[in-house]
Amino acid sequence: MEGKLVQVAVGRPVRGLFTYRVPETIPAVREGQRVLVPFGAGKALGFIMGEAREAPPGRLRDLSQVLDAEPMFSPDLLSFLQWTAAYYRYPLGEVLRSALPPGLTRPGEAPQSKPGVCELVCLTELARTEPRPRGVAMNAVLDYLATAPGEVDLEELATAIPGVRDPLKRLVGKGLCSLREVPLVPDRPELAFAGKAVPVPTSEQSAALVEIEKAVAARSFAPILLRGVTGSGKTEVYLRSISRAIELGLGALVLVPEIALTPQLVGRFRARFGEKVAVLHSGLRDSERLAEWRRLRQGEAPLAVGVRSAIFAPIARLGIIVVDEEHDGSFKQEEKLRYHARDLAVVRAQRIGCPVILGSATPSLESLANARGGRYQLLELTRRVDDRPMPAVHVVDMRVEGRGHVSAAFPQLAARSKMRALEARKAAEASAPYGEDPAARPPAREEIEEELSRGPPLLSEELRASLEDVLAKGRQAILFLNRRGQSTYHVCLACGRSVTCRDCAVSLTLHGTSNRLLCHYCGHTEPLPAACPQCGGPIDSLGMGTEAVEAELGKRFPAARVCRLDRDSATQAEEITALLAAFAKGEKDILVGTQMVAKGHDFPGVTLVGVLLADIALNLPDFRAAERTFQLLAQVAGRAGRGVEPGRVVVQTFNPEAPAIAHVVGHDYLAFSEHELALRRAYFYPPFCRLLAVRIEGVHPQGTAEAARLVAKAVGQAARDSGGALRLIGPAKAPFAKLRGKVRWQLLIKGPTARSLVPAAEAVEKVAEQLPGNARASVDVDPIGLM
């Protein structure tokens, strides 16, 4: 392309391709190469997409620089990324940039640390006595280091202060900072989960492997839904299928919901394939992620295991794709490029011609419908390994267990009950004296408040007895509650106002470790007020989270070794892996956690699983609420009884008749799916239609409402032009009407096919350019969350 015109996708949130001239100083360029181009008043990262047939009107500008000798993307991967950008209606340059690891996503960017080395920074003694140097950047570095308890990882410092290398170099030269390198020894605690011997396949595993290996050898597209009950050995099927692909000189990709939550899976892959495995996730240092990406691109590692972004991994001669727990919602990215990694896995497999395995004990209803419609091949593992029984599930109806639990599940009702109790006490104090009999005297106000402050019991009698039995036998238990924190609702007992986030329309959660209120959406934090800011009345904290459960267990079972797994107790992948490894080795008795305890764990010592409140997500205003509830309960129930001893599951609920809960008792996925599919068909929801969600956000309530009306008008015209093919719901305020300071509206569009929704999406994009009040509208193709 020397001296020619080329089309460039610019790594900015702008649509379309831009034409540039290749100057004579640049010998040649190829499709997929990174380039530096003039854009606006500055320069931007770009990607060569091919030759331009003619020059556009106006001034033509030259490429500034070619950043790499070789293209970043193979032809098939580049084509796949172009398809992704078109389907999810997102700027191509941004899609290409998001497919690269840190170190390659910005012009001139390089990892802040050296491969295989950890660089540690700290202040010197001289810095504590010498006057501060001039320069904002240098003082920012000094301020950051002054508050650190010791040495700081250079990557942490680079994240906090972009461009830190230059000011740090000057500070080291002045003797105010020291910088030392230490070898970075790969820490792989996941190998504790690797297992010892390779198991002999069961008859069902062998039958599934015959079909999968046939597709691998044929190098043909074969979408396979592997439905296997928990503990049936789906992972062994993955391992053997991938082993066959590697024997044939092919590469493999394994997608998991969250790499930090599945150390056992990574451990088993490393034990089986050793250094042939490259792991891709955000818990790695930037230099490590870049090194793993390069190993894959150069063919040094034929197998990638990673989270959703690994769908873009540059795997040479890709021969098989596995999506573990394919139903999991975390495969869908909810910001910017809103892609679904499971769906893209099917598309990528189709485009290159290889099998893709979608594995789950509780497949999504979309995947089940594809299997029933003949679009996917269905393979089933109906029995656990060694014919171990499924755990017995017992449902505890909390409506009859005790009224106290209402305050744990429904804090608003509990708050009203407390206010009525206090009002009754005031009325009693105003009545005639009760004489000298202490028994006749009503309890004092302080006594009432003390009794109320104790809160309800979190464990039913059946669950408490089961825990006592497990602990007495030296076995282990998992308690599941999908709420973090100490208490989740804080209300004034005088005026009834609740304490909410200033930037989001949600309640703040009290976290006991910091004794502060935290918003789980925007991160805003503030102290728990001593009194109501509105009226000065008393504030009461209600609702329960995992911290409250951990504290309750400490009181009831003081000898038990209790650990907690949620986003507060373990923030790094290494911490999560170490905690799970300790539990796997029997060093802990009870594991309390959120949905992090439900995914991918295999603990033979666990004979009891307790679900403290099964109703949390059941009645959310989302048509997938029941499906998600059933999947989560079935997954966490499957953690019990995976060893020699049978398992038991206790489910506490206020809605025992709900199909999502009732069918968990018999582990009856098919009965639940039949019931849910009938509802979806009746109300025209996926898998019987395709969805497009339109989200309108703005700072000003009135301007955002007007923007939503304009978007709905444009979409309504597209729906009328479709001849009735499209159905509209909304516009309406989103269930979370305000998040991160933005007012939120949404519109839902239903159509028979993905193609039928394109005119509606185009109408949104056209009207979005002229919305009032700085409002913004965006489309979400195939949304999975409607909150």
Side-chain angles (χ1 to χ4, degrees):
M1 298 182 190
E2 182 177 354
K4 297 181 179 180
L5 304 180
V6 292
Q7 290 185 315
V8 175
V10 178
R12 296 281 179 85
V14 291
R15 298 183 184 277
L17 299 177
F18 297 83
T19 300
Y20 290 87
R21 182 172 49 217
V22 181
E24 294 182 359
T25 54
I26 296 178
V29 292
R30 296 162 60 187
E31 286 189 27
Q33 278 183 306
R34 293 189 312 149
V35 292
L36 190 63
V37 296
F39 193 79
K43 293 187 177 182
L45 178 70
F47 302 88
I48 300 293
M49 300 306 298
E51 289 190 34
R53 293 183 178 178
E54 57 183 9
R59 184 165 64 100
L60 190 64
R61 307 173 82 176
D62 289 348
L63 294 179
S64 299
Q65 183 182 354
V66 176
L67 299 175
D68 311 289
E70 297 291 327
M72 287 290 100
F73 310 104
S74 63
D76 64 301
L77 182 54
L78 185 62
S79 174
F80 170 62
L81 291 168
Q82 289 177 284
W83 187 95
T84 300
Y87 183 78
Y88 289 104
R89 313 193 70 83
Y90 203 70
L92 175 59
E94 286 286 83
V95 173
L96 296 172
R97 194 167 66 86
S98 66
L100 294 174
L104 298 176
T105 57
R106 290 182 178 86
E109 181 186 37
Q112 293 292 337
S113 61
K114 303 174 184 178
V117 169
C118 178
E119 295 178 282
L120 301 176
V121 186
C122 69
L123 295 178
T124 63
E125 288 299 321
L126 187 62
R128 306 181 191 281
T129 58
E130 286 292 303
R132 286 287 187 97
R134 293 182 179 182
V136 175
M138 285 192 290
N139 276 280
V141 174
L142 293 174
D143 289 339
Y144 191 93
L145 294 175
T147 60
E151 291 179 306
V152 174
D153 190 322
L154 178 57
E155 284 204 359
E156 175 190 332
L157 190 61
T159 301
I161 306 174
V164 75
R165 280 278 185 182
D166 287 340
L168 180 60
K169 183 178 180 180
R170 292 196 295 272
L171 289 169
V172 171
K174 294 176 181 290
L176 302 179
C177 289
S178 68
L179 178 66
R180 71 185 184 98
E181 298 179 354
V182 296
L184 185 63
V185 180
D187 182 18
R188 294 180 176 172
E190 70 270 8
L191 290 178
F193 301 106
K196 296 179 180 179
V198 176
V200 177
T202 66
S203 59
E204 288 185 326
Q205 287 174 325
S206 297
L209 284 166
V210 168
E211 297 297 320
I212 296 170
E213 291 179 359
K214 186 191 306 180
V216 171
R219 298 295 308 276
S220 61
F221 173 57
I224 297 169
L225 178 60
L226 180 64
R227 188 176 80 85
V229 299
T230 56
S232 60
K234 295 184 291 295
T235 303
E236 185 60 29
V237 173
Y238 304 156
L239 289 163
R240 289 177 177 269
S241 301
I242 291 169
S243 179
R244 179 56 179 156
I246 292 176
E247 287 174 4
L248 296 173
L250 304 175
L253 170 61
V254 180
L255 297 179
V256 295
E258 296 180 68
I259 197 72
L261 305 185
T262 52
Q264 291 172 317
L265 185 67
V266 175
R268 290 185 65 180
F269 274 93
R270 286 206 189 278
R272 194 72 61 92
F273 300 108
E275 293 304 312
K276 294 179 181 178
V277 180
V279 179
L280 299 173
H281 65 87
S282 59
L284 298 174
R285 296 161 56 88
D286 288 352
S287 56
E288 291 174 308
R289 290 170 67 184
L290 178 58
E292 293 289 82
W293 184 87
R294 283 176 170 159
R295 289 179 63 221
L296 290 166
R297 183 166 174 265
Q298 295 165 3
E300 296 174 7
L303 168 59
V305 180
V307 291
R308 60 174 179 251
S309 60
I311 186 60
F312 305 125
I315 302 168
R317 302 192 70 218
L318 183 57
I320 185 171
I321 302 175
V322 173
V323 184
D324 189 34
E325 309 294 0
E326 66 87 28
H327 67 276
D328 198 286
S330 61
F331 283 122
K332 172 75 171 179
Q333 181 157 293
E334 297 287 2
E335 300 289 339
K336 297 183 179 180
L337 173 59
R338 295 183 171 97
Y339 66 92
H340 200 304
R342 177 202 62 206
D343 297 345
L344 284 182
V346 176
V347 173
R348 189 172 182 183
Q350 183 182 40
R351 294 175 72 86
I352 64 175
C354 78
V356 54
I357 306 173
L358 309 180
S360 177
T362 54
S364 66
L365 296 184
E366 287 86 349
S367 294
L368 179 64
N370 279 326
R372 289 181 172 179
R375 293 177 290 276
Y376 294 174
Q377 181 181 4
L378 177 63
L379 302 177
E380 296 186 285
L381 306 177
T382 61
R383 298 189 302 274
R384 282 188 159 185
V385 174
D386 296 332
D387 284 325
R388 295 168 187 153
M390 296 295 290
V393 180
H394 301 262
V395 173
V396 178
D397 188 346
M398 301 305 292
R399 296 172 300 184
V400 299
E401 177 71 17
R403 66 177 181 84
H405 273 274
V406 173
S407 64
F410 306 106
Q412 293 92 336
L413 296 179
R416 287 198 288 270
S417 298
K418 292 191 176 189
M419 285 188 281
R420 284 196 296 268
L422 291 175
E423 289 168 359
R425 175 69 193 112
K426 291 178 182 177
E429 289 175 344
S431 63
Y434 286 84
E436 301 298 326
D437 184 4
R441 179 183 61 81
R445 180 188 183 95
E446 292 77 11
E447 294 173 332
I448 292 178
E449 292 181 341
E450 181 183 357
E451 179 63 27
L452 291 173
S453 68
R454 293 173 184 167
L458 305 181
L459 311 175
S460 63
E461 290 293 338
E462 181 171 352
L463 184 52
R464 284 199 297 271
S466 298
L467 280 169
E468 290 172 355
D469 181 63
V470 165
L471 293 173
K473 292 178 179 178
R475 309 310 291 166
Q476 294 174 297
I478 293 177
L479 296 187
F480 167 68
L481 175 64
N482 212 16
R483 278 181 181 165
R484 295 156 50 199
Q486 180 73 27
S487 51
T488 57
Y489 187 77
H490 313 277
V491 65
C492 174
L493 296 180
C495 69
R497 290 179 181 269
S498 60
V499 182
T500 59
C501 176
R502 67 184 184 187
D503 295 322
C504 306
V506 296
S507 297
L508 296 174
T509 298
L510 178 65
H511 287 257
T513 52
S514 62
N515 200 33
R516 292 181 65 86
L517 299 174
L518 174 68
C519 176
H520 288 170
Y521 292 88
C522 73
H524 168 72
T525 180
E526 62 184 62
L528 177 66
C532 176
Q534 301 293 327
C535 72
I539 296 287
D540 196 21
S541 297
L542 305 166
M544 62 177 175
T546 48
E547 287 185 20
V549 177
E550 183 183 30
E552 177 77 3
L553 291 171
K555 294 175 183 177
R556 291 191 173 274
F557 307 102
R561 298 167 296 175
V562 181
C563 57
R564 174 168 54 91
L565 179 59
D566 55 30
R567 290 296 180 193
D568 304 310
S569 64
T571 58
Q572 301 296 321
E574 293 81 1
E575 295 174 332
I576 296 171
T577 303
L579 188 152
L580 292 174
F583 189 70
K585 290 184 288 187
E587 296 173 3
K588 301 291 183 180
D589 302 313
I590 303 175
L591 173 63
V592 179
T594 56
Q595 62 181 352
M596 295 172 74
V597 304
K599 301 178 183 179
H601 307 309
D602 188 354
F603 302 120
V606 173
T607 57
L608 173 66
V609 166
V611 179
L612 300 187
L613 192 57
D615 317 74
I616 287 180
L618 188 58
N619 294 312
L620 291 176
D622 189 322
F623 73 92
R624 287 191 173 92
E627 181 184 9
R628 290 196 187 103
T629 297
F630 177 85
Q631 289 167 338
L632 194 53
L633 294 179
Q635 290 290 330
V636 72
R639 302 312 107 199
R642 297 169 78 98
V644 177
E645 298 183 30
R648 173 182 172 85
V649 182
V650 177
V651 179
Q652 298 181 169
T653 176
F654 287 90
N655 297 277
E657 299 88 2
I661 294 173
H663 289 305
V664 171
V665 176
H667 306 280
D668 200 341
Y669 165 79
L670 293 178
F672 169 77
S673 60
E674 290 298 335
H675 176 272
E676 190 68 12
L677 284 170
L679 291 176
R680 301 278 184 92
R681 184 182 290 106
Y683 293 100
F684 196 50
Y685 276 103
F688 303 102
C689 77
R690 303 299 289 268
L691 291 182
L692 180 74
V694 183
R695 298 187 173 90
I696 304 98
E697 296 184 346
V699 176
H700 306 293
Q702 290 184 344
T704 307
E706 175 62 15
R709 187 190 67 80
L710 292 175
V711 171
K713 181 180 178 181
V715 174
Q717 183 60 51
R720 287 188 291 274
D721 294 343
S722 73
L726 301 183
R727 304 184 192 181
L728 276 61
I729 301 177
K733 286 185 177 180
F736 290 147
K738 184 180 180 183
L739 280 182
R740 303 176 186 90
K742 299 289 184 66
V743 180
R744 305 170 73 240
W745 286 69
Q746 64 183 19
L747 177 69
L748 193 64
I749 308 160
K750 302 178 182 179
T753 63
R755 187 178 297 275
S756 70
L757 295 168
V758 170
E762 292 174 342
V764 172
E765 291 165 354
K766 184 176 181 180
V767 74
E769 299 173 357
Q770 47 196 352
L771 295 179
N774 294 320
R776 296 288 183 268
S778 60
V779 296
D780 185 357
V781 180
D782 301 329
I784 65 165
L786 301 179
M787 298 299 290

